[in-house]
């Protein structure tokens, strides 16, 4: 399971099969006690598509906070578990990942100052600090996130900028060269309209267009730099308004036409 705090807390509740963390843009509805997510791979046989369970994660909540998430094989055998601890103000102060025998795999310790997260220290299974992330603010706005190794050498840096209805998130290597960049455009009501993504290891950029129905995000359509659709993420909801299924389609040119080919799928089941 991902060391989620080094890449942002919400990464935990995103499906591992999808590039976009949908839960970052779709808040929970109702009083959630727990939910499970099951990831499926997709295979084609004789012209028909079949799905096979690959991974299951169960998330447990108390007082609106996630306190535990457990990762299982398709046969419900525990792989590992993340346990989260909060202070009296509701701030996440520690997360530890243990294996099926409750042995430590890694641990993150989070510190705060004046209500703002200032540092995350990551420890290995021997309780030795291996990385430290330091957060810098301009007033209340997070502007810099720097990741260091155990010797204090810079590993990577993320710089945040916001102007009017646009936010730019730039990720840099330790030598200062650009790794990835996202430009996020928001509508007047605060919902995301689009994300333009650039990566130094790929040619050109990709653009995600967010589509809403009755105020709910129902699809994210990805275009390449030539403005051709290359991917569709379709979102379905349960009766309460929480996500019940994510379906990822690759948009391909095949047999003289354009096809939407199911590439991955994740089902969610909520308990209220």
């Amino acid at each position: 399971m991902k060391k989620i705090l080094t890449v942002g807390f919400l990464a935990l509740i995103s499906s591992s099969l999808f590039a976009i963390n949908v839960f970052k843009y779709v808040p929970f509805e109702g009083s959630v006690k727990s939910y499970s997510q099951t990831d499926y791979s997709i295979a084609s046989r004789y012209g028909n598509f079949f799905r096979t369970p690959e991974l299951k994660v169960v998330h447990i909540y108390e007082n609106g906070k996630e306190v535990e998430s457990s990762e299982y094989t398709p046969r419900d055998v525990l792989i590992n578990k993340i346990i989260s601890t909060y202070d009296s103000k509701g701030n996440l102060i520690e997360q530890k990942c243990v294996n099926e025998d409750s042995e430590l795999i890694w641990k993150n310790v989070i510190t705060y100052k004046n209500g703002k997260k200032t540092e995350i220290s990551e420890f290995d299974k021997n309780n030795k600090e291996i990385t430290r992330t330091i957060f810098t603010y301009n007033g209340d706005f997070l502007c810099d996130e720097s990741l260091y190794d155990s010797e204090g050498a810079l590993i990577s840096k993320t710089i945040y900028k916001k102007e009017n209805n646009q936010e730019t998130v730039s990720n840099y290597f330790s030598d200062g060269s650009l790794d990835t960049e996202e430009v996020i455009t928001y509508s007047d009501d605060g919902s995301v309209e689009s994300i333009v993504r650039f990566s130094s290891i790929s040619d050109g950029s990709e653009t995600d267009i967010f589509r809403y129905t009755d105020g709910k995000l129902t699809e994210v359509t990805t275009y390449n730099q030539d403005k051709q659709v290359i991917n569709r993420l379709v979102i379905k909801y349960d009766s309460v308004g929480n996500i019940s299924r994510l379906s990822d389609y690759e948009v391909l040119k095949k047999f003289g036409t354009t096809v939407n080919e199911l590439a991955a799928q994740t089902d969610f089941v909520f308990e209220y």
Side-chain angles (χ1 to χ4, degrees):
M1 192 172 288
K2 295 178 181 178
K3 298 178 179 65
I4 61 175
L5 284 171
T6 60
V7 295
F9 173 65
L10 287 172
L12 176 62
I13 57 177
S14 67
S15 170
S16 59
L17 295 178
F18 304 103
I20 298 173
N21 175 14
V22 177
F23 279 100
K24 183 177 180 179
Y25 312 105
V26 181
F28 285 167
E29 299 287 350
S31 180
V32 175
K33 294 180 180 179
S34 67
Y35 76 92
S36 64
Q37 66 179 73
T38 304
D39 295 341
Y40 296 88
S41 62
I42 307 298
S44 176
R45 297 174 186 170
Y46 303 110
N48 295 312
F49 288 93
F50 300 87
R51 66 180 197 169
T52 303
E54 294 288 332
L55 184 71
K56 180 180 179 181
V57 183
V58 177
H59 307 261
I60 307 297
Y61 283 73
E62 293 180 3
N63 301 318
K65 301 285 187 181
E66 183 168 359
V67 295
E68 185 176 296
S69 65
S70 300
E71 185 176 301
Y72 297 89
T73 70
R75 297 183 178 274
D76 283 334
V77 176
L78 180 66
I79 301 172
N80 54 43
K81 179 187 296 186
I82 292 179
I83 302 167
S84 301
T85 303
Y86 300 83
D87 64 17
S88 59
K89 296 180 180 178
N91 294 315
L92 181 66
I93 57 173
E94 182 183 277
Q95 286 188 312
K96 62 180 180 180
C97 182
V98 297
N99 63 19
E100 68 276 13
D101 297 318
S102 297
E103 298 170 332
L104 184 67
I105 300 174
W106 57 263
K107 179 177 70 174
N108 287 328
V109 177
I110 309 98
T111 58
Y112 297 82
K113 184 178 181 180
N114 298 324
K116 299 184 184 71
K117 179 170 58 180
T118 55
E119 289 187 5
I120 298 175
S121 293
E122 181 183 354
F123 299 85
D124 64 14
K125 64 180 181 179
N126 299 314
N127 215 31
K128 177 184 177 182
E129 185 177 18
I130 53 176
T131 67
R132 183 180 301 182
T133 305
I134 297 178
F135 301 86
T136 304
Y137 297 83
N138 181 3
D140 291 330
F141 180 72
L142 174 63
C143 57
D144 185 295
E145 182 177 333
S146 298
L147 176 65
Y148 299 89
D149 66 17
S150 60
E151 301 298 324
L154 182 67
I155 298 173
S156 63
K157 180 185 287 285
T158 301
I159 294 178
Y160 302 87
K161 296 179 181 178
K162 194 167 186 178
E163 184 175 356
N164 299 322
N165 65 336
Q166 281 195 337
E167 180 179 7
T168 302
V169 182
S170 304
N171 299 296
Y172 295 90
F173 294 110
S174 59
D175 63 1
S177 60
L178 184 65
D179 178 14
T180 63
E181 187 169 80
E182 292 185 347
V183 179
I184 308 163
T185 301
Y186 297 89
S187 62
D188 291 338
D189 64 6
S191 58
V192 175
E193 291 183 348
S194 65
I195 301 177
V196 179
R197 294 180 284 110
F198 167 82
S199 173
S200 61
I201 62 174
S202 62
D203 294 329
S205 61
E206 294 182 353
T207 301
D208 298 323
I209 301 297
F210 286 60
R211 306 185 188 279
Y212 299 83
T213 302
D214 298 326
K216 280 284 191 181
L217 179 64
T218 53
E219 181 173 325
V220 180
T221 309
T222 302
Y223 296 80
N224 62 18
Q225 63 179 354
D226 298 321
K227 299 183 179 180
Q228 297 173 327
V229 177
I230 58 173
N231 190 270
R232 295 174 61 228
L233 179 62
V234 178
I235 306 162
K236 301 294 184 182
Y237 294 86
D238 64 17
S239 58
V240 177
N242 287 308
I243 294 175
S244 61
R245 175 171 290 177
L246 297 176
S247 299
D248 186 66
Y249 295 90
E250 294 180 349
V251 181
L252 306 168
K253 295 285 187 181
K254 282 188 173 183
F255 311 113
T257 187
T258 300
V259 298
N260 289 262
E261 194 167 280
L262 185 63
Q265 200 166 65
T266 294
D267 285 350
F268 300 85
V269 177
F270 284 79
E271 180 184 353
Y272 304 99

